[in-house]
């Protein structure tokens, strides 16, 4: 085609100017199949590399990776005649032979048929002769497309490696801005972890004059940049700043999704001032750390802890966590009782084990003692079992007079599993979780670190955590975990629902239950079945499981589901024996699924996250603000995306005006009709000399206001000009009546009360404008 060369030159120029990467991220999804076909079909390039790059560029704009496919040759030569490129999800993994190398590799194939085919002529021109734009899988979101394998592009030196910049003017936070084409790891396509393997991290430099005031100025700047940034400062009687708390808008969204269990860690100190750095930390749906906020505290008094808890609670809209885990500190205990009276407070296992190192001396190196101590903490099924193990430990190691153990025993209800079987911790309070805040904060400060510099460094750490989450989200959306039992319907169901990390935890329990347990049904009465489960090779311990076959409710004595939110091997064994091939929905916890974040925008009357809200309107407002905030953050980088967002808001506002105007007119018409009916029913004293004015009958040429929508609220339709609508109520005029409209003359679609999707459609408002301009219309003068 004649314009193909110009098309390629224009594409190359856009790529050189960095324009294509920016615009592609926002408009990739807007490309229709027709537009994509018109753009590529018949396009001509001049080499195999250009052909591959053409399809890769298109894939990056749409949201998929490219894989090289089959090729054919001219007869008797090795010159390519046709060449195919596929979506990377073409084919199925199970079509390939299973080898040791690919057995544990995540499954990325969905048998997608999207592809492009080039034909090469004698002149070496590559022409697109076939193009299939349809994909059968989820495409990468704009914020994820930099992670597509075929979209990665690093600025490389002659050696082919990433070359660190020697400039001293690079951004203080992003050390890769000079090293990577596009300015950031996201724009280049390489993850931050891949960049760390090549270059060192640049230092952060901050002016240290007036440290407290600089920190407040930093908070104010973040507030101006982010509408939902929250910060608070406590001052003493002399006006000196003592305690600080802050969190950004993303922390609030994270807390709404994963704030059921949190750790408040006060073990980290900022060396320069010996301030306590106390982050609020939880776990996300990938079982990774997520930060909800951070506090700087001058002392460890009840008043300071109560202040920071109140600030945290206010910043989270008054929503308390289900459980909170802290160090063994009586001041924290009192503050939690004041501020979080309905929250389950427990001591963190990691804090207990860390404190034991300084109170138990050489016993910390004794494996036998550690086993017994761990049994007291996590292995006791009842209070009697715990007391027996505790007494035996004290007697055997002569610890009856150890003051730390005596004090620990006094608060046993806050750390022993026998007393807290139903306390949800999401796995954050397990010994395998290890150091939480120290993993986050370790090594980011020294004795000369100022508050502002520490806040900037912590901001970078939080960004890295969020980047890790985004990478895991992308991996979960583009690949499927390898199932140990290929044709198991239970594993297939959970692999589709859970994130990869949580699925592997579930799969281990499933295999343990199926292959390493013995089961004995003890009794049954009606719909209630009881079982005794023993684990092979792990002693004679018995777990009792009860199943109600009428409701499919199952409970196990180990209480793993109540603590972790995952079914245990004992319960899964019983389900298998009862031929249950699908896990009941209530046992697939939403917070562990790939769609964990989507659930925060579903407004239901019985939503547990709204129970603490005093009014339904308050809950709706908070959710709507969070949703709008996400859209603002997503659209703020590019002018085009900001315009799309503003257009949507303006169109939505106009749609609401029309809705409430029509609602007001309906109400007024019904009121007028009611008043007229009352006048008719009044008794008359006799014939009147005055002739009653008769309302003229509506002629066939008079107008009547009607509302129509598509039968399916959100399916496409067309207006009078042929423009596409998306379920929007369409107003049109038949005639204006010369008499007041009766209720039966006003036709409203039954779906009118629902909120339609918003698209720019000015034509739909013309009828409404005409109605308002006509003073004869019933109720118009009262609007």
């Amino acid at each position: 085609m004649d314009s193909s060369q110009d098309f390629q030159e224009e594409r190359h120029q856009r790529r050189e100017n960095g324009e294509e990467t920016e615009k592609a991220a926002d408009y990739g999804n807007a490309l229709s199949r027709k537009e994509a076909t018109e753009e590529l079909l018949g396009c001509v390039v001049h080499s195999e590399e250009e052909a591959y790059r053409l399809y890769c560029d298109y894939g990056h704009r749409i949201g998929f990776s490219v894989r090289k496919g089959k090729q054919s040759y001219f007869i008797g030569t090795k010159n390519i005649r046709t060449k195919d490129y596929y979506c990377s999800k073409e084919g199925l993994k199970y079509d390939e032979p299973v080898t040791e190398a690919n057995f544990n590799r995540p499954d990325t194939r969905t048998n997608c048929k999207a592809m492009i085919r080039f034909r090469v002529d004698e002149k070496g021109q590559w022409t697109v002769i076939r193009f299939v734009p349809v994909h059968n899988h989820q495409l990468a979101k704009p914020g994820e497309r930099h992670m597509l394998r075929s979209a990665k592009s690093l600025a490389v030196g002659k050696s082919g490696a990433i070359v660190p910049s020697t400039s001293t003017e690079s951004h203080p936070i992003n050390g890769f801005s000079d090293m990577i084409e596009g300015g950031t790891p996201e724009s280049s396509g390489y993850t931050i972890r891949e960049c760390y393997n090549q270059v060192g991290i640049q230092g952060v430099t901050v002016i240290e004059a007036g440290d407290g005031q600089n920190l407040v100025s930093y908070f104010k700047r973040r507030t101006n940049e982010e509408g939902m940034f929250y910060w608070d400062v406590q001052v003493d009687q002399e006006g000196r700043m003592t305690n600080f708390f802050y969190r950004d808008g993303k922390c609030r969204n994270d807390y709404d999704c994963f704030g059921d269990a949190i750790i408040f860690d006060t073990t980290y100190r900022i060396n320069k001032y010996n301030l306590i750095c106390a982050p609020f930390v939880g776990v996300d749906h990938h079982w990774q750390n997520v930060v909800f906020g951070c506090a700087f505290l001058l002392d460890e008094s009840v008043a300071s802890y109560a202040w920071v808890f109140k600030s945290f609670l206010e910043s989270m809209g008054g929503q308390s966590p289900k459980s909170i885990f802290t160090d063994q500190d009586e001041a924290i205990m009192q503050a939690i009782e004041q501020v979080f009276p309905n929250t389950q407070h427990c001591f963190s296992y990691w804090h207990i084990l860390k404190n034991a190192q300084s109170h138990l001396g050489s016993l910390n190196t004794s494996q036998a003692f550690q086993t017994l101590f761990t049994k007291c903490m996590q292995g006791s099924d009842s209070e009697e079992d715990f007391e027996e193990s505790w007494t035996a430990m004290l007697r055997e190691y002569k610890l009856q007079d150890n003051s730390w153990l005596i004090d620990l025993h006094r608060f046993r209800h806050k750390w022993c599993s026998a007393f807290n079987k139903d306390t949800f911790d999401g796995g954050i309070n397990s010994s395998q979780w290890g150091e939480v805040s120290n993993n986050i904060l370790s090594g980011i400060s020294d004795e000369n670190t100022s508050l502002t510099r520490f806040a900037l460094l912590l901001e970078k750490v939080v960004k890295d955590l969020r980047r890790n989450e985004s990478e895991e989200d992308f991996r979960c959306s583009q690949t499927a975990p390898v199932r140990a039992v290929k044709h198991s319907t239970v594993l297939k169901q959970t692999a589709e629902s859970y994130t990869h990390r949580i699925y592997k935890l579930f799969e281990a329990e499933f295999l343990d239950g199926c292959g390493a347990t013995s089961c004995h049904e003890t009794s049954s009465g009606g719909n209630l079945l009881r079982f005794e489960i023993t684990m092979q090779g792990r002693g004679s311990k018995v777990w009792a499981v009860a199943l109600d076959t009428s409701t499919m409710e199952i409970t196990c004595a180990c209480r793993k589901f109540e603590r972790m939110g995952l079914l245990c091997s004992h319960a899964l064994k019983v389900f298998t024996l009862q031929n249950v091939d699908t896990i009941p929905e209530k046992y697939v916890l939403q917070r562990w699924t790939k769609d964990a974040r989507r659930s925060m925008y579903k407004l239901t009357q019985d939503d547990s996250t709204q129970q603490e809200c005093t009014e339904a309107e308050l809950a709706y407002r908070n959710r709507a603000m969070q949703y709008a905030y996400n859209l603002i953050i997503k659209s703020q980088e590019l002018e085009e995306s900001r315009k799309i967002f503003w257009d949507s808001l303006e169109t939505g506002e106009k749609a609401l005006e029309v809705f409430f105007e029509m609602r007001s007119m309906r109400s007024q018409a019904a009121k007028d009709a009611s008043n007229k009916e009352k006048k008719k029913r009044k008794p008359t004293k006799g014939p009147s000399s005055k002739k009653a004015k008769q309302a003229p009958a509506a002629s066939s040429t008079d107008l009547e206001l009607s509302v129509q929508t598509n039968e399916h609220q959100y399916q496409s339709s067309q207006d009078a000009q042929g423009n596409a609508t998306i379920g929007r109520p369409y107003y049109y005029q038949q005639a204006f009546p010369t008499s007041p409209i009766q209720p039966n003359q006003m036709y409203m679609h039954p779906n009118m009360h629902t909120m339609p999707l918003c698209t720019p459609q000015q034509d739909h408002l013309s009828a409404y404008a005409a109605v308002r301009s006509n003073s004869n219309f019933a109720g118009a003068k009262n609007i």
Side-chain angles (χ1 to χ4, degrees):
M1 53 187 290
D2 297 337
S3 61
S4 61
Q5 186 172 359
D6 294 336
F7 171 78
Q8 289 300 319
E9 291 178 356
E10 181 184 355
R11 177 186 295 274
H12 178 73
Q13 187 63 38
R14 290 202 309 267
R15 197 157 55 239
E16 289 290 327
N17 296 336
E19 298 174 3
E20 186 174 79
T21 302
E22 294 180 356
K23 295 183 178 180
D26 290 274
Y27 288 100
N29 282 335
L31 283 176
S32 66
R33 295 176 186 174
K34 182 179 179 181
E35 291 172 338
T37 303
E38 291 176 350
E39 178 181 331
L40 293 180
L41 196 60
C43 189
V44 178
V45 294
H46 300 87
S47 69
E48 182 177 358
E49 182 181 355
E50 288 185 14
Y52 178 66
R53 176 51 54 191
L54 176 68
Y55 198 45
C56 283
D57 287 348
Y58 168 76
H60 184 226
R61 295 167 62 193
I62 299 299
F64 67 95
S65 279
V66 175
R67 191 158 54 85
K68 295 180 180 180
K70 298 178 181 179
Q71 59 190 28
S72 63
Y73 302 92
F74 286 99
I75 298 176
T77 69
K78 291 186 178 181
N79 296 328
I80 297 176
R81 181 173 182 176
T82 62
K83 176 76 174 182
D84 294 349
Y85 296 98
Y86 304 137
C87 170
S88 62
K89 294 182 178 293
E90 182 269 343
L92 294 172
K93 180 181 178 181
Y94 297 119
D95 294 339
E96 301 176 354
V98 178
T99 64
E100 183 178 354
N102 67 12
F103 177 74
N104 289 318
R105 187 182 304 161
D107 186 7
T108 62
R109 306 295 183 87
T110 63
N111 202 25
C112 181
K113 301 298 184 183
M115 58 87 68
I116 191 171
R117 175 172 295 169
F118 290 87
R119 183 172 58 197
V120 187
D121 60 18
E122 293 81 359
K123 298 180 181 180
Q125 291 185 333
W126 293 58
T127 306
V128 178
I129 61 172
R130 186 183 179 194
F131 175 61
V132 180
V134 183
H135 295 263
N136 67 350
H137 55 88
Q138 179 181 348
L139 298 174
K141 301 174 184 176
E144 300 172 340
R145 292 174 190 165
H146 65 278
M147 290 183 278
L148 293 169
R149 181 177 296 275
S150 60
K152 294 183 178 181
S153 58
L154 276 170
V156 297
K158 294 181 179 179
S159 62
I162 306 172
V163 181
S165 172
T166 57
S167 172
T168 59
E169 299 178 356
S170 60
H171 194 279
I173 298 297
N174 186 2
F176 303 111
S177 56
D178 297 358
M179 309 171 202
I180 300 172
E181 181 183 1
T184 63
E186 289 86 347
S187 62
S188 69
Y190 273 73
T191 64
I192 201 72
R193 188 179 294 110
E194 292 170 321
C195 293
Y196 282 160
N197 293 333
Q198 303 291 335
V199 296
I201 306 174
Q202 301 291 329
V204 176
T205 57
V206 177
I207 300 174
E208 298 186 12
D211 204 11
Q213 189 58 47
N214 281 347
L215 184 62
V216 171
S217 299
Y218 166 74
F219 291 158
K220 291 180 178 179
R221 177 177 63 82
R222 292 286 301 277
T223 304
N224 292 332
E225 295 174 354
E226 308 174 29
M228 292 185 66
F229 187 88
Y230 179 98
W231 63 278
D232 198 2
V233 177
Q234 187 181 35
V235 297
D236 59 16
Q237 295 179 351
E238 299 180 5
R240 294 174 299 190
M241 290 180 281
T242 57
N243 301 320
F244 304 83
F245 170 78
Y246 68 100
R247 61 105 180 121
D248 61 16
K250 184 68 164 54
C251 288
R252 173 62 191 274
N253 291 340
D254 292 338
Y255 182 80
D256 285 338
C257 296
F258 312 115
D260 39 17
I262 64 175
I263 282 185
F264 179 67
D265 192 355
T266 57
T267 59
Y268 195 87
R269 301 280 177 151
I270 301 177
N271 294 333
K272 182 174 182 179
Y273 304 98
N274 202 34
L275 284 177
I276 301 168
C277 177
F280 292 85
V281 183
V283 287
D284 63 14
H285 52 322
H286 301 293
W287 219 37
Q288 296 177 340
N289 288 332
V290 57
V291 178
F292 302 132
C294 187
F296 300 141
L297 303 176
L298 188 63
D299 58 41
E300 298 179 89
S301 64
V302 176
S304 291
Y305 286 131
W307 175 85
V308 73
F309 289 150
K310 289 177 182 178
S311 296
F312 176 80
L313 188 62
E314 180 182 349
S315 74
M316 299 303 177
Q319 181 179 335
S320 301
K322 292 181 180 179
S323 53
I324 183 171
F325 300 87
T326 70
D327 196 359
Q328 181 184 347
D329 187 287
E330 293 197 32
I332 295 178
M333 292 170 56
Q334 294 180 32
I336 288 177
E337 289 177 1
Q338 293 177 20
V339 184
F340 300 128
N342 299 320
T343 297
Q344 183 69 36
H345 175 217
C346 297
F347 296 158
S348 165
Y349 289 149
W350 178 79
H351 286 111
I352 293 176
L353 294 175
K354 183 177 181 181
N355 293 332
Q357 296 175 6
S358 59
H359 291 93
L360 298 179
S362 60
L363 288 176
N364 289 290
T365 60
S366 172
Q367 186 63 42
F369 173 79
Q370 289 296 325
T371 301
L372 194 55
F373 189 44
T374 302
K375 180 183 178 182
C376 292
M377 288 194 300
Q378 298 177 280
S380 301
D381 293 329
S382 63
E383 297 180 24
E384 294 78 11
D385 188 19
F386 163 74
E387 292 295 347
E388 181 180 346
S389 300
W390 185 264
T391 303
M393 181 187 70
L394 297 181
R395 186 188 313 113
E396 181 176 352
Y397 294 96
K398 298 179 176 58
L399 296 170
Q400 292 88 343
D401 299 328
N402 186 289
S403 59
W404 180 73
L405 289 176
I406 292 174
D407 193 46
L408 187 64
H409 182 268
R410 184 161 60 98
F411 297 108
R412 58 191 178 279
H413 60 285
K414 289 194 174 293
W415 54 269
C416 178
S417 60
F419 298 86
N420 297 286
K421 288 186 175 181
D422 294 331
T423 301
F424 181 83
D425 62 19
I428 200 173
N429 196 33
S430 60
S431 57
Q432 61 181 305
W433 193 258
E435 297 187 33
V436 177
S437 66
N438 276 280
N439 285 340
I440 296 174
L441 303 175
S442 178
I444 70 172
S445 68
D446 54 32
E447 64 274 6
N448 297 318
T449 303
S450 66
L451 282 176
T452 313
R453 177 170 181 171
F454 187 91
L456 286 169
L457 288 166
L458 182 59
E459 178 186 351
K460 186 179 185 304
V461 171
V462 172
K463 286 182 178 180
D464 289 343
L465 293 176
R466 292 169 179 172
R467 187 179 291 110
N468 292 339
E469 182 191 350
S470 298
E471 291 173 6
E472 283 298 312
D473 285 340
F474 176 76
R475 191 167 71 96
C476 289
S477 68
Q478 299 298 314
T479 65
V482 177
R483 303 196 299 272
V485 183
K486 174 181 174 182
H487 298 294
S488 169
T489 55
V490 169
L491 293 184
K492 183 177 184 296
Q493 172 200 2
T494 52
E496 292 174 351
S497 300
Y498 288 138
T499 60
H500 288 7
R501 181 78 181 273
I502 299 302
Y503 168 76
K504 285 302 179 182
L505 296 176
F506 176 88
E507 185 182 67
E509 293 287 338
F510 179 81
L511 296 177
D512 211 15
C514 293
T517 57
S518 299
C519 182
H520 174 65
E521 185 174 347
T522 57
S523 63
S524 61
N527 296 322
L528 186 62
L529 304 179
R530 299 183 184 276
F531 302 84
E532 290 183 350
I533 308 292
T534 57
M535 306 300 291
Q536 299 173 7
R538 277 164 279 186
S540 58
K541 188 171 182 178
V542 177
W543 284 269
V545 180
L547 173 65
D548 188 337
T549 56
S550 62
T551 61
M552 296 309 294
E553 290 188 6
I554 192 167
T555 57
C556 179
C558 74
R559 313 299 286 177
K560 183 180 180 69
F561 181 78
E562 286 73 16
R563 288 183 290 106
M564 177 67 182
L566 288 176
L567 286 175
C568 60
S569 56
H570 322 118
L572 292 171
K573 175 70 171 182
V574 172
F575 274 151
T576 302
L577 290 175
Q578 297 299 309
N579 297 319
V580 177
D581 55 5
T582 302
I583 301 298
E585 185 177 351
K586 58 187 172 184
Y587 293 117
V588 181
L589 218 60
Q590 182 73 24
R591 64 122 46 232
W592 296 128
T593 64
K594 301 172 185 177
D595 297 330
R597 290 191 177 278
R598 296 184 186 178
S599 64
M600 65 181 294
Y601 304 122
K602 296 179 181 178
L603 297 176
T604 57
Q605 293 181 353
D606 58 348
D607 191 348
S608 60
T609 60
Q610 299 186 37
Q611 290 179 358
E612 297 189 23
C613 296
T614 56
E615 298 179 358
E617 291 83 358
L618 179 61
Y620 168 78
R621 186 192 66 183
N622 290 339
R623 293 295 181 89
M625 289 175 64
Q626 295 157 13
Y627 185 72
Y629 174 78
N630 278 350
L631 294 179
I632 292 171
I633 295 300
K634 184 182 293 186
S635 62
Q636 67 180 357
E637 295 183 0
L638 301 175
E639 181 178 353
E640 295 87 346
S641 57
R642 291 196 297 268
K643 185 178 184 302
I644 292 173
F645 179 72
W646 277 116
D647 288 345
S648 299
L649 289 180
E650 292 173 356
T651 306
E653 182 182 16
K654 293 174 182 177
L656 284 175
E657 289 178 357
V658 171
F659 170 77
F660 286 113
E661 197 75 29
M662 294 302 301
R663 189 171 181 267
S664 175
M665 288 189 289
R666 270 198 303 173
S667 176
Q668 185 63 38
K671 184 177 180 181
D672 292 345
S674 177
N675 292 338
K676 185 175 181 180
E677 188 67 24
K678 289 180 181 179
K679 291 179 180 180
K680 287 183 179 180
R681 292 178 182 177
K682 288 183 179 180
T684 56
K685 297 181 180 180
S688 175
S689 60
K690 295 182 180 180
K691 292 185 179 180
K693 294 182 179 180
Q694 296 184 356
S699 64
S700 58
T701 58
D702 290 337
L703 288 170
E704 181 179 298
L705 184 68
S706 299
V707 180
Q708 286 188 346
T709 62
N710 192 283
E711 181 180 356
H712 304 286
Q713 180 71 2
Y714 295 113
Q715 293 192 1
S716 298
S717 58
Q718 288 187 340
D719 58 19
Q721 285 73 31
N723 299 319
T725 66
I726 310 178
R728 287 283 302 275
Y730 176 56
Y731 305 92
Y732 65 96
Q733 297 166 335
Q734 295 177 341
F736 278 110
T738 55
S739 63
I741 288 182
Q742 301 302 319
N744 58 2
Q745 289 179 271
M746 181 74 71
Y747 169 72
M748 298 295 292
H749 192 277
N751 284 337
M752 184 59 196
H753 67 279
T754 60
M755 180 61 191
L757 296 178
C758 298
T759 54
Q761 299 171 59
Q762 301 296 334
D763 295 336
H764 294 175
L765 305 176
S766 58
Y768 161 65
V771 170
R772 295 193 61 179
S773 64
N774 192 309
S775 59
N776 292 329
F777 189 75
K781 60 184 178 181
N782 297 323
I783 297 175

